[in-house]
Amino acid sequence: MDDAVPEAPPDAEAEPAYDPAAPAPLNVPRTPTGDAEVDAALGRLGDADHLATEGHVEVYEDVHRGLRDALTALDARPGPPAPARHPTTTPQRDPSGHPLRSPFEHRS
């Protein structure tokens, strides 16, 4: 009989020590806006949940860039057509080719 105590196998699933600086999900709810580009940018914020603090800046800058691009695109979208020029903006002429005068214009 062997009196030696068997060595305990290393615990492969040991709980890691608590590290307050370790990445932790913020679980901030993100409500869909209905704009696919904005929703994609906001969804990217979830990537920061799995990064150390120093990695957050890159994600935040990327999200900021995406939101800024979405706002810029709003300015680039065509709006209503510009009003047409009034057809009488060119001086009207009488049959002899002289410009017509307004009845309120003083004649010399």
Side-chain angles (χ1 to χ4, degrees):
M1 183 162 177
D2 189 2
D3 290 335
V5 177
E7 190 174 312
D11 191 0
E13 295 182 32
E15 189 78 23
Y18 173 72
D19 180 3
L26 297 175
N27 297 322
V28 175
R30 288 177 287 280
T31 305
T33 65
D35 184 295
E37 191 174 355
V38 171
D39 290 342
L42 293 176
R44 172 101 166 85
L45 288 172
D47 294 346
D49 286 347
H50 309 290
L51 298 172
T53 305
E54 55 271 358
H56 290 191
V57 173
E58 182 181 339
V59 172
Y60 295 154
E61 286 177 347
D62 187 42
V63 171
H64 181 256
R65 188 172 25 261
L67 294 174
R68 187 181 58 229
D69 290 348
L71 286 173
T72 301
L74 290 175
D75 290 337
R77 289 185 185 156
R85 292 185 66 184
H86 193 276
T88 59
T89 55
T90 55
Q92 294 184 352
R93 303 196 176 267
D94 65 16
S96 66
H98 293 94
L100 289 176
R101 294 181 183 227
S102 164
F104 304 106
E105 212 175 301
H106 178 65
R107 295 183 189 223
S108 331

